[in-house]
Amino acid sequence: MSMTAANTSSCIRDPKMAAGLCCGISCLAAGGTIGVIGDAGVQGFGLRASGGKRAWSSEGGDGDGDVGMGGNSEAANADAANKLYVGLLIMLIFSEALALYGLIVALILSQHSYSCE
């Protein structure tokens, strides 16, 4: 049976529309959260690499290239970077789950048969 505008009713169209909106909005929300998490991750890694000091906010030109490093060892920096990476990875996994949940709900909505009376 072909679905044309003449033989489709709102009982068939509405669940398909709801499934499309559910999938689209959940993917939009997941994409937004992934972007925010990625931005925070890049800033966190940049601050970690520079020892917590932003290069553009330094005042005066003393010529001290290592100002703000604080004497941190390479092992401590690597450990902190690994902790930051694991935290970001967990947040990204949970934000991707938003899109997956939306897709599952959309599949359930679109496959369920509704009867119009």
Side-chain angles (χ1 to χ4, degrees):
M1 182 172 137
S2 68
M3 294 189 62
T4 61
N7 64 2
T8 58
S9 67
S10 65
C11 293
I12 296 172
R13 287 183 303 215
D14 290 346
K16 305 291 184 190
M17 180 71 172
L21 284 173
C22 180
C23 187
I25 292 172
S26 67
C27 287
L28 184 67
T33 57
I34 288 170
V36 169
I37 291 169
D39 181 41
V42 168
Q43 289 180 6
F45 275 114
L47 286 175
R48 179 65 56 194
S50 67
K53 182 171 179 145
R54 297 178 188 225
W56 61 85
S57 67
S58 62
E59 295 179 7
D62 299 1
D64 296 335
D66 293 335
V67 173
M69 292 300 283
N72 292 337
S73 67
E74 292 295 324
N77 282 339
D79 186 45
N82 286 339
K83 287 180 182 178
L84 181 63
Y85 179 74
V86 169
L88 286 172
L89 190 63
I90 289 172
M91 286 188 284
L92 285 172
I93 288 169
F94 282 114
S95 64
E96 289 171 1
L98 289 172
L100 186 61
Y101 293 147
L103 177 65
I104 291 169
V105 170
L107 288 173
I108 291 170
L109 281 173
S110 67
Q111 296 302 315
H112 195 278
S113 62
Y114 299 96
S115 62
C116 296
E117 295 176 8

